Amino acid sequence: MSEDNPYYPTYGAALTDWAAKTPDQVALRYGERTTDYKTYDRHATQIANGLAAMGLKKGDRVAYFGKNSDRSVELAMGAARAGMVFIPIIWRLAPKEVEFILQDSGAGVLFVEPEFADQLPFDGNTILTDDSFDEWRDAQSDAAVTTAVDAHDGLLQLYTSGTTGLPKGVVLSHHNGTHFRPLMKQHNIYWYCADAGDTMIFAMPYGHIAGVGTALGAVLGGQELIIHREFDPAQLIADVEKYRVKWLFLVPAALGIMLAHPDAENADFSSVKGLTYGASPIPLDMLKEGVERLKCDFAQLYGLTETFGTVISLSPDDHKPENIQGREHVMKSAGKPMPGVEVRIMDEDLNALPAGQTGEVAIRSDAVMLGYWNRPEENDKAMIGDGWFRTGDAGMLDEEGYLYIQDRIKDMIITGGENVYPAQVESAVYGHPDIADIAVIGVPDDKWGEAVKAVVVAKPGSNLTEEDVIAYAKGQIAGFKCPKTVDFIDALPRNPSGKILRRELRAPYWEGKERAVN
């Protein structure tokens, strides 16, 4: 790799380099607080030494529960420098779900925002991320960390809902994330590798790879990260104007909310060079409105937690109105593989299929995870040898190499950028005393892409209502996983072995759609 586009084996190495090259440049901006690169570097070292002083060692787990902040970003970098594995937990999860993650991961310490502290059952070390966090951090040594951290050491452990109903920890290494930037620069994938000093807003949830991945990724290129506690369209619009922001990442639902906000009508978006989006394709009408309002490049990103995020991208050229004419079908694709990424479409026997045929999408890349934490059977299913990973998405490659996602083999629902597995919802709701049987499916939703629907068989003689089912679910699982609507039927369709035929349940809702996912 060139001197201008170095490969950093670890995120800590990247921070050290930028602290030396641009010590006074703003690295993190959160409200009125700013942190320059030399201070960011010192804070990461102090946090690493503070974690070690607690008795934690390389490879131990450091958990965080809260929203986005400069402190949470520093914490991730400090854990990385100590060779520990950082676990940002989605703050919208229900207490039972959080308790499972803390137990499953064996976290040695939990950092938590004060507003959530009373919700969490945790017997280990707990540190609040208010002003007391700064006092704790600043009391630690800033002597150089001596722990040797390797490119292939664990960096993140992100929990995704599993097909069995239990969350599973996706373990990602430093190299999974750091190897991409030099390749992107080499191939001029400019929308995925901002230049040094560029400003970008981080407003997506921290517990997702799109959140924590963005936060950590900014340090690879020496960017200025403007941190929003959560997505707020008014704040986003105001900060774009105030700080002349160049780069944005939003899910299409958030983009639609931003464009519909009154402040957007007369906003100055002239500084924005590019907007990337993911989780679902963008409706053509929204794209046209976005291009007209922002007058910037748009690019779609497709990826999974298991691939450290993006591995496929639909480029800005494929979004430009003059290039879309007569090629509207390309806008319905996820795009083409990024440099260093191979894609294969497989049949049920894991044989490669030719262009034009639908099968399971498999990915081979240095971005593919180390594996699922303590889930050997899940690893055996997903990691099929020779570096290939099964995504669980059904897709098709065309003759030009564009990937089209057609359906989900795993039954996963994506609603507003959040992943929901039916099995977890069914397991949580099945405990209602008036429910005899239940199936959960994803149905089309204009705002969120997909919405969670429960199809319920009520016990004879009960007076179960839609409101009863939804209220019960809210006491068991995170709100975004709860059914938004409920249908009642006499019996669920099942195959001879008793498996619920979800596709049969879903079919009426997706009739007339070109694909069975949004």
Side-chain angles (χ1 to χ4, degrees):
M1 301 300 173
S2 72
E3 231 175 86
D4 294 336
N5 304 306
Y7 163 69
Y8 296 114
T10 67
Y11 284 87
L15 179 54
T16 296
D17 191 35
W18 286 108
K21 290 192 293 194
T22 58
D24 299 322
Q25 182 193 303
V26 172
L28 307 175
R29 188 183 295 278
Y30 181 68
E32 298 303 314
R33 283 201 302 257
T34 59
T35 306
D36 60 29
Y37 266 94
K38 67 176 181 295
T39 305
Y40 188 14
D41 186 56
R42 185 179 74 251
H43 284 175
T45 295
Q46 290 174 303
I47 290 168
N49 286 329
L51 294 170
M54 289 181 188
L56 275 69
K57 299 179 176 59
K58 180 178 177 179
D60 284 347
R61 268 55 184 169
V62 176
Y64 170 74
F65 190 79
K67 299 181 182 181
N68 308 340
S69 73
D70 51 351
R71 289 166 176 148
S72 65
V73 175
E74 286 188 349
L75 178 59
M77 193 60 72
R81 178 157 284 172
M84 298 171 192
V85 180
F86 185 59
I87 306 173
I89 303 171
I90 299 170
W91 65 267
R92 296 171 68 187
L93 296 183
K96 289 181 181 178
E97 297 172 294
V98 178
E99 183 179 13
F100 174 85
I101 290 171
L102 292 171
Q103 290 178 347
D104 182 74
S105 66
V109 60
L110 171 65
F111 291 81
V112 59
E113 286 195 320
E115 70 176 274
F116 300 111
D118 294 339
Q119 303 176 23
L120 305 180
F122 186 65
D123 297 329
N125 289 326
T126 301
I127 295 179
L128 297 179
T129 55
D130 53 11
D131 290 345
S132 62
F133 173 85
D134 295 356
E135 295 171 12
W136 168 80
R137 177 198 65 207
D138 295 343
Q140 310 305 320
S141 167
D142 61 1
V145 176
T146 57
T147 302
V149 184
D150 182 78
H152 298 284
D153 286 336
L155 167 75
L156 295 171
Q157 188 162 314
L158 303 181
Y159 276 80
T160 67
S161 298
T163 52
T164 62
L166 293 175
K168 52 191 177 183
V170 176
V171 183
L172 299 163
S173 72
H174 289 257
H175 180 74
N176 287 153
T178 64
H179 83 282
F180 251 138
R181 183 175 171 83
L183 287 172
M184 301 303 109
K185 279 290 187 184
Q186 183 182 339
H187 291 85
N188 194 31
I189 312 296
Y190 63 90
W191 61 95
Y192 200 64
C193 54
D195 293 330
D198 280 1
T199 47
M200 61 174 61
I201 288 179
F202 157 44
M204 293 294 99
Y206 201 42
H208 297 267
I209 190 60
V212 69
T214 296
L216 287 173
V219 82
L220 298 179
Q223 282 102 44
E224 176 182 328
L225 190 71
I226 300 168
I227 303 164
H228 288 187
R229 183 165 163 73
E230 56 188 318
F231 172 67
D232 178 332
Q235 184 186 1
L236 190 142
I237 293 166
D239 277 2
V240 166
E241 295 183 302
K242 183 176 181 179
Y243 299 114
R244 308 301 296 157
V245 169
K246 285 192 175 183
W247 299 98
L248 297 171
F249 173 81
L250 296 170
V251 297
L255 173 61
I257 292 169
M258 185 192 79
L259 292 174
H261 195 277
D263 292 353
E265 188 172 347
N266 298 309
D268 178 7
F269 290 114
S270 61
S271 65
V272 179
K273 183 176 180 179
L275 184 146
T276 54
Y277 65 92
S280 65
I282 194 168
L284 277 175
D285 288 345
M286 186 187 294
L287 170 65
K288 290 171 183 173
E289 183 183 1
V291 169
E292 184 179 330
R293 295 276 199 93
L294 275 66
K295 293 181 172 57
C296 71
D297 286 339
F298 277 66
Q300 182 181 171
L301 308 178
Y302 164 87
L304 303 93
T305 304
E306 289 91 339
T307 61
F308 211 101
T310 305
V311 283
I312 308 286
S313 181
L314 189 65
S315 74
D317 280 347
D318 284 322
H319 285 76
K320 291 176 180 173
E322 63 269 24
N323 295 337
I324 293 174
Q325 193 70 31
R327 300 181 72 247
E328 287 83 359
H329 63 281
V330 169
M331 275 297 301
K332 297 169 185 173
S333 76
K336 290 183 175 182
M338 300 284 260
V341 176
E342 297 174 77
V343 177
R344 178 183 289 175
I345 306 298
M346 305 182 308
D347 64 17
E348 291 182 358
D349 297 321
L350 307 185
N351 299 312
L353 293 170
Q357 291 195 26
T358 298
E360 184 172 4
V361 180
I363 302 289
R364 181 162 65 179
S365 164
D366 277 8
V368 171
M369 65 175 176
L370 297 177
Y372 296 115
W373 177 247
N374 290 338
R375 298 286 195 281
E377 291 183 4
E378 295 274 6
N379 285 326
D380 289 344
K381 289 177 186 175
M383 314 286 275
I384 54 176
D386 203 21
W388 287 98
F389 164 70
R390 299 173 63 177
T391 67
D393 282 341
M396 179 269 289
L397 285 168
D398 69 11
E399 295 287 352
E400 295 181 80
Y402 289 92
L403 174 66
Y404 294 78
I405 302 299
Q406 310 282 5
D407 201 344
R408 292 198 189 91
I409 292 169
K410 292 180 181 174
D411 293 325
M412 185 178 72
I413 302 162
I414 300 182
T415 177
E418 298 278 7
N419 295 347
V420 177
Y421 275 93
Q424 185 185 20
V425 183
E426 291 161 359
S427 177
V429 181
Y430 191 76
H432 192 289
D434 290 333
I435 289 179
D437 210 352
I438 181 173
V440 169
I441 57 174
V443 297
D445 185 274
D446 290 339
K447 184 175 183 179
W448 304 114
E450 293 176 275
V452 179
K453 175 182 279 292
V455 183
V456 169
V457 178
K459 288 184 178 177
S462 71
N463 296 310
L464 190 65
T465 66
E466 179 178 67
E467 291 74 17
D468 294 336
V469 175
I470 294 172
Y472 184 81
K474 287 180 177 177
Q476 305 296 314
I477 50 178
F480 68 85
K481 299 178 182 180
C482 294
K484 299 298 180 286
T485 57
V486 179
D487 287 352
F488 293 92
I489 61 176
D490 293 333
L492 295 179
R494 295 180 181 271
N495 67 13
S497 63
K499 185 178 180 182
I500 296 171
L501 299 174
R502 293 185 208 280
R503 292 198 182 197
E504 191 173 308
L505 289 171
R506 295 170 77 220
Y509 303 98
W510 294 91
E511 191 173 347
K513 301 279 185 179
E514 293 182 343
R515 54 176 170 251
V517 289
N518 266 351

